[in-house]
Amino acid sequence: MPDNFSFGPQRDALTYKQMGNGVNVGVVNQVLKAHCERDKDLLLATERGRAIYELVSRAVTARFQLSRQCWTDTVPLPA
């Protein structure tokens, strides 16, 4: 989407729903992670920002670990 794109004056929940229905979850995950890394200094400057950064960081790691576990449970890795 272009930088000037806006969902208008709708609730955040509706915007998230539209994003979820229109974009692959993995893509949204990577975009959110990139934004948090880009704005890491700003996020870590406040309590709420630190909480957001921590949640995104954990979610990305947990998802990767879960995906890896599901994959290795299904397909044995070579020794």
Side-chain angles (χ1 to χ4, degrees), residues 29-75:
N29 185 35
Q30 291 301 311
V31 169
L32 179 59
K33 179 181 175 186
H35 278 278
C36 285
E37 286 303 319
R38 181 196 67 192
D39 297 334
K40 182 177 180 178
D41 293 338
L42 292 171
L43 289 168
L44 296 180
T46 66
E47 184 176 338
R48 185 173 183 189
R50 284 189 297 275
I52 291 169
Y53 185 83
E54 180 65 27
L55 285 171
V56 171
S57 296
R58 276 195 314 218
V60 171
T61 302
R63 182 178 175 153
F64 172 75
Q65 289 172 343
L66 179 60
S67 296
R68 182 180 168 90
Q69 186 62 48
C70 290
W71 175 258
T72 56
D73 286 350
T74 306
V75 178

Side-chain angles (χ1 to χ4, degrees), residues 6 10-12 15-16 26-28 35 38 50 59 67 74 79:
S6 171
Q10 68 184 12
R11 295 184 342 257
D12 286 346
T15 297
Y16 300 145
V27 172
V28 173
H35 278 278
R38 181 196 67 192
R50 284 189 297 275
S67 296
T74 306

